[in-house]
Amino acid sequence: MKINEQYAKLPGNYLFSEIARRVAAYSAEHPDVKPIRLGIGDVTRPLVPAVVEAMRKAVSEMGRLETFHGYGPEQGYEFLRNAIAEHDFRARGTDISPDEIFISDGAKSDCGNIGDLFSIENKIAVCDPVYPVYVDANAIDGRTGDYLQASGKWSDVIYLPLTAENDFVPELPASHADLIYLCSPNNPTGTALTRKQLSVWVEYANQHGAVILFDAAYEAYITEPEVPHSIYEIPGARECAIEFRSFSKTAGFTGTRCAFTVVPKTLIRQGQSLHAMWNRRHTTKFNGVSYITQRGAEAVYSQAGQKQIRADIAYYQNNARMIREGLKQAGFSVYGGVNSPYIWFHAPMDSWKFFDLLLQKAHVVTTPGAGFGSRGRNYMRVTAFGEANDIEEAVRRITVM
Ligand code: PLP
């Protein structure tokens, strides 16, 4: 027997375990200090009442003989797929049908598993900085070549730099890319692609027979009209793109787990329907999200649910504004936070060093940009998830540091 040797190539500590280790070490030495955590991208507001009520009702259905549900459809219950197609796509004039939507337990799982559809010979392109899951999942599959310790990059990956100079908009690669991961609004930079900027990529993918893997986990935070909510708003995207969405940041489902992936039936490569392939993969390796959770997700689209989740999103958006304005006033170059819960700001030194300094001097936990790629090494990511009072205090402490 032989193990998958790719695991041995993966670089050391996962970003958030290293952050946790440093915070734990600091707290052990300074037990009186309570750091304010603006590091991990996890929501803090509880599930909204409409969702809780729907889940309670679903629990009692599960406890009665007449209304019990066993295995559901692997692709998700029709009631949820219909609600998503109607509210997230058709109501916005986007042509996506319920059977092109696959319900899952998370955008992370889907972004990681989508590689099952593609040969390991494909060349992947990712932004730098990037949500680490895209690269690591491809590394496990064997699609990334060798890990180059000195640069922190993989030999066979095309990196698309996101810098202040290019306004954090990825430019088309110099060499051919087969699989292109785009995240908008982006984690970690908090910036978003406009319709025009995204159109360039859709055109590229269709011309080159490439596939765009479009992560829209932060779609709910979009405020600017020129930023599309779905890649399918762009003509031609149905022929070249798969979209990942999640209830995690939209409705506080990070601990409840529900997401969905859209694979249009018009996405064909080498004569094969990627929709049919994903359906095969999903029904083989996945047994569906719980009925209770899907009923909770359905309630997100009710009138009450929409009003309640929008209030929570507005709360985080206001936090984002406070962070953005506060850090700007403190003299930092600040990006993102307008269409996203993430704020990305320039650090005056190496980001891990600045992480330590912010922890020790301001007692604020951030995320060092280096954890997202080499182009992040002089940036910090701060999240707007948290209590407004804490955010205000954290910004004050950084300002007077
Ligand atoms: N995609 C991006 C860009 C994310 O930042 C995250 C979570 O932080 C996810 C996906 C994961 O979403 P989920 O909770 O649905 O797995």
Side-chain angles (χ1 to χ4, degrees):
M1 141 316 170
K2 287 206 171 88
I3 58 163
N4 177 355
E5 289 177 4
Q6 290 299 117
Y7 283 85
K9 292 190 192 170
L10 289 171
N13 265 323
Y14 187 56
L15 174 62
F16 294 108
S17 10
E18 177 58 18
I19 292 174
R21 194 191 63 74
R22 291 188 187 212
V23 175
Y26 184 77
S27 296
E29 273 177 37
H30 306 86
D32 305 336
V33 174
K34 242 186 153 282
I36 299 176
R37 291 167 194 268
L38 304 181
I40 294 184
D42 195 358
V43 293
T44 49
R45 308 213 50 84
L47 291 176
V48 297
V51 168
V52 174
E53 198 185 313
M55 290 178 80
R56 278 216 180 95
K57 190 166 160 254
V59 168
S60 56
E61 282 180 54
M62 291 296 278
R64 285 201 313 272
L65 184 66
E66 318 79 64
T67 48
F68 170 74
H69 286 79
Y71 289 124
E74 290 97 337
Q75 301 89 340
Y77 283 101
E78 235 173 62
F79 62 76
L80 181 56
R81 299 169 93 194
N82 286 340
I84 292 169
E86 186 51 43
H87 291 89
D88 283 340
F89 297 100
R90 285 182 187 151
R92 290 186 180 279
T94 315
D95 173 27
I96 291 295
S97 65
D99 60 357
E100 293 177 314
I101 295 164
F102 294 83
I103 310 298
S104 78
D105 66 346
K108 188 187 203 172
S109 326
D110 287 352
C111 289
N113 292 328
I114 200 75
D116 281 6
L117 302 192
F118 306 108
S119 148
I120 63 164
E121 282 152 38
N122 287 298
K123 197 90 173 171
I124 72 158
V126 295
C127 293
D128 176 13
V130 67
Y131 176 54
V133 172
Y134 312 146
V135 182
D136 288 2
N138 276 287
I140 289 171
D141 288 353
R143 213 173 276 117
T144 51
D146 293 319
Y147 185 67
L148 311 169
Q149 204 74 40
S151 62
K153 293 188 167 177
W154 294 87
S155 61
D156 289 355
V157 172
I158 299 170
Y159 291 91
L160 311 166
L162 300 183
T163 63
E165 290 70 40
N166 65 19
D167 285 328
F168 302 96
V169 177
E171 286 158 31
L172 294 177
S175 60
H176 173 84
D178 298 301
L179 299 173
I180 301 152
Y181 287 82
L182 295 176
C183 179
S184 177
N186 190 38
N187 178 14
T189 60
T191 51
L193 299 175
T194 62
R195 253 177 220 95
K196 201 166 156 203
Q197 290 159 348
L198 193 52
S199 300
V200 172
W201 284 97
V202 169
E203 204 171 303
Y204 175 92
N206 279 325
Q207 271 173 7
H208 289 246
V211 172
I212 297 176
L213 303 166
F214 188 73
D215 188 342
Y218 298 95
E219 170 274 333
Y221 292 82
I222 293 171
T223 60
E224 294 180 318
E226 62 270 30
V227 175
H229 288 252
S230 163
I231 194 165
Y232 304 115
E233 289 181 34
I234 313 295
R238 281 188 54 93
E239 282 69 45
C240 69
I242 291 174
E243 180 164 304
F244 305 99
R245 295 268 195 113
S246 173
F247 291 95
S248 283
K249 311 298 159 74
T250 306
F253 271 55
T254 51
T256 308
R257 312 305 304 143
C258 198
F260 60 93
T261 288
V262 182
V263 189
K265 290 184 174 167
T266 40
L267 178 47
I268 310 290
R269 289 292 179 271
Q270 292 173 256
Q272 298 286 325
S273 154
L274 267 61
H275 176 275
M277 288 171 68
W278 185 244
N279 190 55
R280 186 73 168 94
R281 191 258 164 222
H282 209 62
T283 50
T284 301
K285 293 197 183 180
F286 189 64
N287 242 343
V289 173
S290 84
Y291 174 74
I292 300 161
T293 301
Q294 293 192 59
R295 279 294 183 200
E298 181 194 23
V300 166
Y301 297 102
S302 68
Q303 221 175 18
Q306 280 294 299
K307 197 164 159 218
Q308 292 161 3
I309 64 150
R310 287 313 321 176
D312 283 349
I313 292 164
Y315 182 89
Y316 295 134
Q317 284 171 324
N318 189 49
N319 286 349
R321 185 191 53 76
M322 280 197 286
I323 298 169
R324 225 173 46 233
E325 289 174 5
L327 292 176
K328 262 190 199 158
Q329 262 173 21
F332 291 102
S333 297
V334 183
Y335 309 94
V338 176
N339 297 298
S340 157
Y342 296 125
I343 291 90
W344 186 245
F345 71 96
H346 193 259
M349 58 187 79
D350 165 81
S351 62
W352 276 112
K353 276 203 186 115
F354 201 51
F355 169 88
D356 288 335
L357 199 67
L358 287 168
L359 178 61
Q360 289 155 14
K361 294 265 163 56
H363 310 314
V364 175
V365 181
T366 53
T367 311
F372 300 101
S374 66
R375 298 280 176 170
R377 62 185 169 260
N378 290 116
Y379 287 90
M380 312 302 293
R381 191 193 73 174
V382 181
T383 88
F385 299 123
E387 290 306 300
N389 290 343
D390 287 343
I391 302 258
E392 212 170 334
E393 174 60 14
V395 171
R396 189 194 64 77
R397 288 189 202 165
I398 295 175
T399 312
V400 300
M401 199 175 86

